[in-house]
Amino acid sequence: MVAAHLSNLPKRLHCPTCLRAQSSCICQWIRPTPHAVEVVVLQHPLEVANAKGSARLLHLSLARSRLEVGEAFAAEAMQAMLADGRRTVLLYPETAGEQELGMPAPPPFDPAWLADPAQLRLVVLDGTWRKSRKMLYLNPLLQQLPRLPLRDTPPSHYLIRKAHLPDQLSTLEATTYALAQLEADQQKFMPLIAAFDGFVSQQMAQQAGHASAGT
Ligand SMILES: [Zn+2]
């Protein structure tokens, strides 16, 4: 009887797909996009509940992607994720100061790999600049991956995160532009960027709503 009574209480319902509250569901912005390069998003635990994060929307739009949450991954788990013969590249800029932290210089990216995108895997770190750098520091296997330098990316459409520099892209944008570069196809990925604009607008409207409700 008690259980039946409790089940009648109003609950905050969550969307089973995007895991957000039903009232802020972002599933309308999912754009299933065919892609050849496999994508592995390593998400910092602090990003999981971040309403402004774009990694889950990205993951839901890319069938050949996986989303793993963690900061320091067990070497065996990381090896299992990366070891299947595909060539893996890390989406991360070569930044000053890595050597001082004891990190080895990454091997160069071989442009010949671009001949067969289906044999490629892109690893993306989803976190603030500081947290993604910490993830790189804590996971030696990531340090051994060649880096993909992003070329000629347009300015970010990401207006909703504080502490976001103008030249920093959201995880969804950076990954989408990287895929466009690796697969030499801008057009295919444009609907995903357009949908991201809708997602950003929704987040801004909800922020404005919270702000006016709080006054
Ligand atoms: Zn949803």
Side-chain angles (χ1 to χ4, degrees):
M1 290 306 285
V2 172
H5 177 71
L6 282 177
S7 69
N8 289 332
L9 289 174
K11 281 185 228 157
R12 197 168 183 224
L13 292 174
H14 279 78
C15 170
T17 304
C18 67
L19 311 181
R20 294 174 185 238
Q22 292 281 9
S23 57
S24 50
C25 169
I26 56 167
C27 290
Q28 62 174 312
W29 309 117
I30 298 171
R31 292 294 178 277
T33 304
H35 62 113
V37 177
E38 188 185 288
V39 175
V40 175
V41 180
L42 303 178
Q43 183 174 56
H44 192 275
L46 289 177
E47 291 295 316
V48 175
N50 183 348
K52 298 163 194 168
S54 61
R56 187 149 200 98
L57 180 60
L58 175 76
H59 170 56
L60 291 170
S61 296
L62 298 179
R64 306 186 66 234
S65 70
R66 57 191 288 181
L67 181 65
E68 301 287 340
V69 177
E71 188 178 65
F73 291 85
E76 307 81 66
M78 185 74 82
Q79 245 146 13
M81 265 187 263
L82 304 183
D84 64 351
R86 277 194 182 76
R87 290 147 166 172
T88 305
V89 286
L90 178 66
L91 181 58
Y92 195 87
E94 285 194 48
T95 53
E98 288 181 17
Q99 265 82 347
E100 284 100 277
L101 289 170
M103 290 193 252
F109 176 76
D110 182 354
W113 288 8
L114 295 172
D116 190 0
Q119 288 303 311
L120 288 177
R121 173 188 297 111
L122 180 70
V123 174
V124 182
L125 306 182
D126 180 48
T128 61
W129 186 83
R130 287 175 72 92
K131 292 301 180 197
S132 52
R133 185 154 134 146
K134 190 170 180 200
M135 291 166 80
L136 180 62
Y137 181 72
L138 291 174
N139 295 280
L141 283 172
L142 295 180
Q143 299 167 19
Q144 295 163 19
L145 298 174
R147 312 270 177 93
L148 177 73
L150 272 185
R151 292 188 319 247
D152 307 328
T153 54
S156 177
H157 300 199
Y158 210 24
L159 310 165
I160 48 175
R161 282 193 84 151
K162 280 183 197 160
H164 220 78
L165 301 173
D167 61 341
Q168 281 184 303
L169 296 168
S170 65
T171 296
L172 184 145
E173 288 173 297
T175 307
T176 302
Y177 293 137
L179 288 176
Q181 195 173 310
L182 290 170
E183 302 190 16
D185 188 339
Q186 296 284 337
Q187 224 40 48
K188 183 169 74 171
F189 295 101
M190 288 319 287
L192 199 45
I193 293 291
F196 177 71
D197 287 341
F199 163 82
V200 170
S201 302
Q202 178 184 341
Q203 300 306 310
M204 291 178 79
Q206 288 190 339
Q207 274 184 341
H210 288 309
S212 58
T215 52

